[in-house]
Amino acid sequence: MNATAPTIPRTDEHLLRPGNTNCGGCGMSIGLTMLDRALTDAAETCSLVIPACCGIVTAGAFPTTSYGVPTIATTFASSPAVASGVAAIRDLNEEPGQVICWAGDGGTYDIGMGTLSAAAERNENIIYICYDNEIYGNTGGQRSSATPARARTTTTPWGKTQDKKDIMTIMAGHRIPYAATLSIAHPEDFAHKLATALALKGMRFLLLHSPCPTGWKSEPADSVKLVRLAVGSGLFPLYEVFDGATYRINVEPDGTDPAEYFQCQRRFDAEEIDLRATRRACADRIQRLQALATQYPADG
Ligand SMILES: Cc1ncc(C[n+]2csc(CCOP(=O)(O)OP(=O)(O)O)c2C)c(N)n1
Ligand code: SF4
Ligand SMILES: [Mg+2]
């Protein structure tokens, strides 16, 4: 008997159903809704693989679920390995559909890094989306290696002293077919990158900046504004890397002062932040990407 991957044809069901328990203004909810739209527009089927994180709490209590597609809950560290197996069965049976890992930053930057790196090195045929809320949100807001410097978390009450890990460079270093950053403040760019990812095969890594009003101590209504400020200031650039070799910047920073981003979140003490150093770091980040995009431009 052939094992079958748990993909089903899309119905008029949404990927994220109404009535879930996510906090108001949660970037992950908006990201899932935008992912749903991209899949529907591309008439794609999918199954989700989700490790321990807010994204699996979203599903709710058995036998009900907030997900309208087949969803596998995995242990914290194993979602890329589980997704690799599901995708291998799908491909063996020549079935259609995408296997999509939907994982938090803790499961991606930290505890799942080993299985993620292994799946990337094998160029597994999966889409991996990290919704990066820059903390372990589900367990009370502890720091992760995605937490930016100076952010106060429950385990860094005086502000984190280390910088955010540059996971895009790590993933590009695996020379996977596609790595890109996403923002819920730029829906057309989001849709374009999902369409690009869906058209490719192999390991595709997408990093979504995902506001978390609960952990960021921000107003739920400010979520989209916040991540727009992050793109505009160069704190979270929007770009693509193909095969770890060629680069494209999708939205140029607009001169926003990063101070505006910090001021809207009580996880930062504005007086503690060295704004001159932060502005310089943003400029350096963009200049480095511009140099790569000029020297090694992506086609088209
Ligand atoms: C091996 C292991 N360690 C710790 C936990 C507890 N745990 C569950 S979810 C989570 C935090 C997840 O953080 P992240 O991946 O960033 O997702 P978020 O909660 O922010 O959505 C932790 C520490 C666990 N389930 N398994
Ligand atoms: S804690 Fe943060 S990531 Fe988790 S559901 Fe609430 S807003 Fe979303
Ligand atoms: Mg998180």
Side-chain angles (χ1 to χ4, degrees):
M1 191 177 74
N2 275 347
T4 53
T7 49
I8 54 167
R10 286 302 298 278
T11 59
D12 54 2
E13 186 75 85
H14 286 293
L15 185 143
L16 180 63
R17 293 170 168 152
N20 63 74
T21 55
N22 292 348
C23 314
C26 174
M28 179 186 62
S29 297
I30 302 170
L32 283 166
T33 304
M34 290 169 72
L35 172 63
D36 179 48
R37 200 171 303 143
L39 291 166
T40 306
D41 289 349
E44 281 277 8
T45 63
C46 87
S47 43
L48 292 175
V49 179
I50 308 181
C53 59
C54 279
I56 202 62
V57 176
T58 303
F62 182 81
T64 60
T65 172
S66 293
Y67 286 117
V69 299
T71 301
I72 301 172
T74 76
T75 58
F76 205 3
S78 68
S79 61
V82 173
S84 300
V86 176
I89 294 168
R90 174 206 55 196
D91 291 346
L92 204 63
N93 291 338
E94 298 180 359
E95 290 179 4
Q98 301 285 342
V99 178
I100 301 179
C101 270
W102 181 262
D105 49 296
T108 304
Y109 288 68
D110 295 342
I111 194 163
M113 177 51 85
T115 52
L116 175 61
S117 174
E121 189 271 335
R122 294 190 304 266
N123 195 24
E124 296 288 354
N125 194 11
I126 61 177
I127 296 179
Y128 189 103
I129 305 178
C130 171
Y131 68 92
D132 183 358
N133 62 9
E134 305 183 325
I135 40 164
Y136 290 22
N138 167 45
T139 44
Q142 296 83 13
R143 59 91 86 186
S144 77
S145 58
T147 305
R150 303 312 325 157
R152 291 183 294 212
T153 70
T154 51
T155 46
T156 58
W158 294 281
K160 190 185 170 208
T161 46
Q162 300 82 11
D163 281 328
K164 183 179 178 80
K165 187 189 277 183
D166 181 0
I167 197 158
M168 283 292 288
T169 298
I170 294 170
M171 295 312 294
H174 288 75
R175 298 183 292 278
I176 54 176
Y178 191 55
T181 52
L182 303 173
S183 174
I184 57 170
H186 292 270
E188 285 179 12
D189 182 65
F190 188 115
H192 164 76
K193 285 169 173 164
L194 256 297
T196 303
L198 290 168
L200 291 167
K201 285 200 182 314
M203 184 78 178
R204 290 145 286 169
F205 178 82
L206 300 168
L207 180 66
L208 171 69
H209 198 200
S210 187
C212 171
T214 309
W216 293 13
K217 312 271 181 274
S218 54
E219 292 304 315
D222 283 348
S223 289
V224 174
K225 171 181 138 185
L226 274 175
V227 289
R228 184 179 296 118
L229 292 172
V231 172
S233 61
L235 283 164
F236 190 88
L238 289 178
Y239 66 105
E240 298 165 290
V241 190
F242 294 83
D243 301 314
T246 59
Y247 288 74
R248 183 188 293 131
I249 300 176
N250 310 101
V251 178
E252 293 288 342
D254 59 11
T256 298
D257 190 333
E260 288 187 51
Y261 175 77
F262 300 124
Q263 279 156 7
C264 303
Q265 305 168 66
R266 294 190 304 284
R267 65 175 169 154
F268 294 109
D269 179 345
E271 292 186 2
E272 289 278 311
I273 293 176
D274 182 342
L275 279 173
R276 279 183 59 184
T278 306
R279 289 179 192 124
R280 202 177 324 117
C282 286
D284 287 351
R285 188 177 298 120
I286 293 298
Q287 274 169 20
R288 182 180 163 277
L289 283 172
Q290 283 168 337
L292 286 164
T294 304
Q295 184 83 20
Y296 309 106
D299 294 336

